[in-house]
Amino acid sequence: MAAFNLGVLLAEAGRDQEAEEMYRRAADTGDTDAANNLGILLTNAGRDQEAEEMYRRATDTGHTKGAFNLGILLTKAGRDQEAEEMYRRATDTGHTTAAHNLGNLLGKFGRTDSAYNG
């Protein structure tokens, strides 16, 4: 927990390299919040493949925000079917922005009945 908290403080201070190190330490102990935050840090640095790995690590243990963030990353990469799955996972646990993104994604492909009914 200490490594995660230090990672947050370092990231807020703009010390991304040090924050990455702390998040990795915490993620390696199974901290899914750290894996998600590391994914965000990596996404912002344009390191999408590494970010995807971190989001998947968080998502595989049921981390809702990790699934949502992975959905965004996959949408950006044009991997819409995978993004749909991630948005559905997050939506199923009550993430309203994921539900919105899912509706937009389904609407984009004319699947308005699916977008409405989930």
Side-chain angles (χ1 to χ4, degrees):
M1 187 68 157
F4 170 76
N5 289 335
L6 184 54
V8 170
L9 292 173
L10 290 165
E12 288 174 354
R15 295 166 58 183
D16 292 348
Q17 187 173 7
E18 294 166 283
E20 179 180 339
E21 182 181 326
M22 290 299 107
Y23 285 146
R24 280 193 192 281
R25 281 189 195 179
D28 287 346
T29 67
D31 186 325
T32 56
D33 288 327
N36 180 63
N37 281 19
L38 179 54
I40 293 168
L41 195 73
L42 294 168
T43 297
N44 291 339
R47 295 162 58 190
D48 291 349
Q49 185 175 6
E50 292 174 86
E52 181 178 342
E53 291 173 26
M54 289 300 109
Y55 291 140
R56 286 195 186 279
R57 186 184 297 187
T59 300
D60 287 348
T61 61
H63 196 280
T64 301
K65 289 179 184 176
F68 172 70
N69 288 330
L70 181 54
I72 292 171
L73 187 71
L74 293 168
T75 299
K76 178 179 143 187
R79 295 163 58 190
D80 295 326
Q81 187 173 3
E82 293 172 272
E84 178 182 342
E85 179 186 339
M86 291 302 111
Y87 288 142
R88 285 189 187 281
R89 279 191 188 185
T91 297
D92 289 347
T93 61
H95 196 292
T96 56
T97 308
H100 175 80
N101 287 13
L102 176 60
N104 285 340
L105 183 65
L106 295 174
K108 174 181 166 183
F109 297 105
R111 294 171 52 197
T112 54
D113 287 340
S114 295
Y116 180 74
N117 294 322

